[in-house]
Amino acid sequence: MKGMGKVLLCILAGILAAIFGMSGYRIWEIMHERKTAEHAYEKLDMFIRFPETAGGTASGAGLPEGDGAGQNTDRADVRQAVSFPEVDFNSLGSINRGIVGWIYDEFSVINYPIAQAGDNEYYLDHMFDGQTNPDGCIFLDCRNRSDFSDSHCIIYGHYMKSGAMFAALANYKSQAYFEEHPRMLLMTPDGNYTVELFAGYVADIQDDAWVTAFASEADYEAWIAESISKSLIVSDVRPSASDHILTLSTCSYEFPDARFVLLGVLKAQ
C-alpha cells in the first residue's frame, strides 16, 4: 500500500507540474503578445505627422484657446480652424492595402489606422500589419464602403484593460467628459473629416445600433432620434437625413454582450 501511495503522489506531482508549466507558458504567451502589439503600434508614429504650433513644437489638433479677450471661438470657426495631422497612406498601403483611414482623438490614446477586411472577424485578432495578435486592429465594418460615403459607417475596436484601442470610449459615458471633448478627427486617403459627437449609449448586441442601410430617409431619421433618446450624453448637434454618421463601437461590461457605441456626424473639411 505504501508503494501505491508513493506512485499516486508521483502521478499527482506530475499533473501539478504540468498544470503549473502550462499556466506559466500561457502567462508568458500573453505577455509576449502584449509586448508585440505595443511595439508594433509604437511604430505608427512614422506614418503620421502632426501640425506645428506657433512655438514650433508638434501638437495635436487642439481647439483654439479664444480670441485673446477671454471670449470662446464660435463652434463654426472652430471647425474651420482644425489642423489635421498628415497621414502617409501610401506607406501604410505598402504594408496593408486594406488600410482605409485613420481615427484620431487629441485627448486620448485613440490614434490608429483603420483597416477593412471582407468580414468582421479577421481584425479581431490581427493587427494593422496582418500579424496575428489578440489586440487586433481598429476596423471598418465590412458592409460599409471604404470611402465612408454610406449614411452610417461603423468602426470597431477592442476594449483593452491596458487602456489601448477603444477603451477610452468609456469616458463618453460622462457628460462632463463629453463637453470637454466633443469631437474626434478622421483622416482618409480622399479627405479629412471632423467627427462631431452627439450620442453615446450602452447597447445590447440585439439592438439596431449596427444597422448600415435604411429603407428611407424617414427610417434613417427615426433611427437617429432613437439613438439620441438612448444617449447618456446631451449634445447640441442635431443630425438630419442628409448627414453621414460614424459610430465607434467597443465592448462594455454592464451586462453580458454589452457594447458601448459613440455616434458622431462626419463633417468634411
Side-chain angles (χ1 to χ4, degrees), residues 35 51 89 96 152 181 191 204 229 231 245 251 267:
K35 286 295 183 183
F89 284 109
N96 181 355
H152 180 214
H181 315 95
D204 184 271
S229 72
S231 182
I245 290 174
C251 288
K267 296 292 186 180

Side-chain angles (χ1 to χ4, degrees), residues 79-258:
R79 290 175 182 166
Q80 295 300 319
V82 175
S83 296
F84 284 83
E86 294 181 11
V87 179
D88 185 356
F89 284 109
N90 288 331
S91 296
L92 280 170
S94 68
I95 296 173
N96 181 355
R97 294 179 63 185
I99 300 294
V100 297
W102 192 294
I103 187 74
Y104 174 61
D105 173 15
E106 62 259 50
F107 302 106
S108 76
V109 301
I110 296 176
N111 183 28
Y112 297 109
I114 304 163
Q116 187 180 38
D119 58 52
N120 286 337
E121 303 294 328
Y122 182 80
Y123 284 112
L124 291 175
D125 57 8
H126 287 80
M127 293 190 295
F128 72 97
D129 58 4
Q131 291 188 68
T132 301
N133 192 287
D135 275 29
C137 177
I138 305 302
F139 65 95
L140 178 65
D141 195 297
C142 66
R143 298 169 295 172
N144 286 135
R145 284 175 282 193
S146 62
D147 62 358
F148 295 87
S149 60
D150 293 315
S151 294
H152 180 214
C153 291
I154 308 166
I155 299 176
Y156 303 92
H158 285 309
Y159 182 105
M160 303 301 295
K161 291 182 179 179
S162 65
M165 296 300 161
F166 270 180
L169 294 186
N171 292 328
Y172 284 94
K173 296 175 183 179
S174 161
Q175 178 70 21
Y177 184 87
F178 161 71
E179 290 176 358
E180 291 294 322
H181 315 95
R183 64 104 193 272
M184 294 189 192
L185 305 181
L186 172 68
M187 289 76 74
T188 78
D190 299 319
N192 297 328
Y193 303 84
T194 56
V195 185
E196 304 290 333
L197 303 172
F198 69 90
Y201 64 94
V202 177
D204 184 271
I205 57 172
Q206 302 302 321
D207 289 349
D208 61 359
W210 301 276
V211 175
T212 58
F214 302 87
S216 66
E217 285 190 357
D219 287 345
Y220 186 41
E221 290 177 332
W223 176 82
I224 293 171
E226 182 181 4
S227 299
I228 292 173
S229 72
K230 296 176 181 177
S231 182
L232 301 174
I233 57 177
V234 178
S235 170
D236 61 0
V237 176
R238 286 292 181 265
S240 68
S242 62
D243 285 320
H244 296 266
I245 290 174
L246 180 68
T247 289
L248 311 179
S249 177
T250 193
C251 288
S252 198
Y253 299 96
E254 286 79 359
F255 49 82
D257 291 328

